[in-house]
Amino acid sequence: MNRWTACAAVVAGTALLVLYLTDVVATVPYSVFAVLAGTALVIDGLRKLYRLRRPPKPRDPAG
């Protein structure tokens, strides 16, 4: 996964959470989906951005 798709996941998750908080998504099954999917997308995108930001660990040639 590259940086653009990780950023897109964060933006999409934030958009879902904003739609929920502004009561655009008010029907019960969809509001639960918006909160769960939005939170998952934000956390997953941030985790992948953090992983892409760190330098890769050098491999041990003996092991």
Side-chain angles (χ1 to χ4, degrees):
M1 174 176 278
N2 61 15
R3 186 176 306 268
W4 290 108
T5 52
C7 288
V10 172
V11 169
T14 305
L16 280 174
L17 291 174
V18 167
L19 287 175
Y20 170 73
L21 291 175
T22 57
D23 284 336
V24 173
V25 181
T27 310
V28 170
Y30 301 116
S31 63
V32 172
F33 170 76
V35 172
L36 292 177
T39 305
L41 282 170
V42 169
I43 290 173
D44 187 47
L46 290 175
R47 185 180 300 140
K48 288 179 181 177
L49 280 174
Y50 177 72
R51 191 177 308 142
L52 287 170
R53 186 175 176 209
R54 290 188 309 179
K57 292 181 182 177
R59 293 193 166 233
D60 185 17

